[in-house]
Amino acid sequence: MAEDYSSGCGSGSGEVVENTIYVGNLASAATEDLVAQFFGACGRVSAVRLAGDPAYACRFAFIEFYDRMSATKACSLTGTTFLERPLRVMLSKTPITPPNPILGAQPRSVAVVRRQQLSVEQVTRTIYVSGIDVHIGEEQLRQFFSVCGPVTVMKLCGDMQHPSRFAFVEFATIEAAMTAQSLTGLTLGNHVIKLRTH
């Protein structure tokens, strides 16, 4: 049975911490800044604790938001690909703890630095879209944004019980992502969409 790291840091009571999430299967190239930028699309991030040995292929993190709604929204990103790995996201069972000063202190290889540079570009090529009509599917959304340039990744999130959903759209180029921002305020289905970058 796999170990449940969602309660592996600090002394938890077993109850979830409403404004803190656990993120598993993070790539070793992930940094606290990149993680904060990625999840910042869900709401204001107050703290990030990146854990696990950087020498391993994957790590995990705890992310604290300023409010419960942002943390709940972030949980819908489970399965989303970040740095070429599908994330596992859930509400944490323990509050965030101060980072271990030893972690991340080791010098990183050139290959890791290059992966981090690529990760920054990937974030820049990705836009956050809110206010999406629940009757709009991923393929319709892809076609809508393809006028700006090739779409490489499309992740539609949110609960069908709510009046609108949100999505992360990654383009092949930074220019396409910048062009897409001009579409904010347009009507898609029966809703006006809003766009922003991470």
Side-chain angles (χ1 to χ4, degrees):
M1 181 179 294
E3 186 173 355
D4 181 8
Y5 285 107
S6 62
S7 58
C9 290
S11 55
S13 63
E15 299 293 331
V16 297
V17 181
E18 294 182 339
N19 66 332
T20 303
I21 62 170
Y22 160 82
V23 183
N25 202 37
L26 278 171
S28 59
T31 64
E32 291 186 350
D33 286 342
L34 286 174
V35 171
Q37 287 176 357
F38 183 80
F39 283 95
C42 299
R44 291 182 61 201
V45 174
S46 58
V48 176
R49 162 78 188 282
L50 192 59
D53 193 329
Y56 291 166
C58 64
R59 304 174 71 186
F60 60 98
F62 293 90
I63 304 171
E64 181 181 275
F65 292 90
Y66 280 96
D67 59 88
R68 178 182 61 183
M69 185 177 299
S70 298
T72 301
K73 182 186 293 185
C75 288
S76 66
L77 295 182
T78 192
T80 301
T81 300
F82 177 61
L83 303 182
E84 301 181 352
R85 284 185 174 275
L87 299 177
R88 187 160 65 93
V89 187
M90 66 185 74
L91 289 173
S92 176
K93 296 178 183 177
T94 58
I96 199 166
T97 57
N100 186 336
I102 298 176
L103 294 180
Q106 298 89 342
R108 292 181 177 270
S109 66
V110 173
V112 170
V113 171
R114 286 175 178 170
R115 285 202 301 272
Q116 288 182 356
Q117 292 172 343
L118 178 61
S119 303
V120 172
E121 181 187 342
Q122 182 183 33
V123 171
T124 307
R125 291 188 280 107
T126 303
I127 60 171
Y128 169 73
V129 188
S130 61
I132 301 171
D133 191 319
V134 293
H135 298 102
I136 298 295
E138 283 194 358
E139 187 56 36
Q140 290 174 283
L141 201 61
R142 182 184 293 272
Q143 291 177 1
F144 179 81
F145 283 106
S146 64
V147 298
C148 304
V151 175
T152 56
V153 177
M154 171 72 65
K155 178 65 175 179
L156 187 59
C157 311
D159 193 331
M160 292 292 289
Q161 302 301 319
H162 290 78
S164 65
R165 303 171 72 187
F166 64 97
F168 293 91
V169 184
E170 181 185 329
F171 292 89
T173 64
I174 296 175
E175 292 74 16
M178 294 176 63
T179 301
Q181 293 182 54
S182 65
L183 301 181
T184 190
L186 294 184
T187 300
L188 179 60
N190 295 318
H191 289 254
V192 174
I193 59 172
K194 295 181 180 180
L195 288 75
R196 68 180 175 88
T197 58
H198 289 317

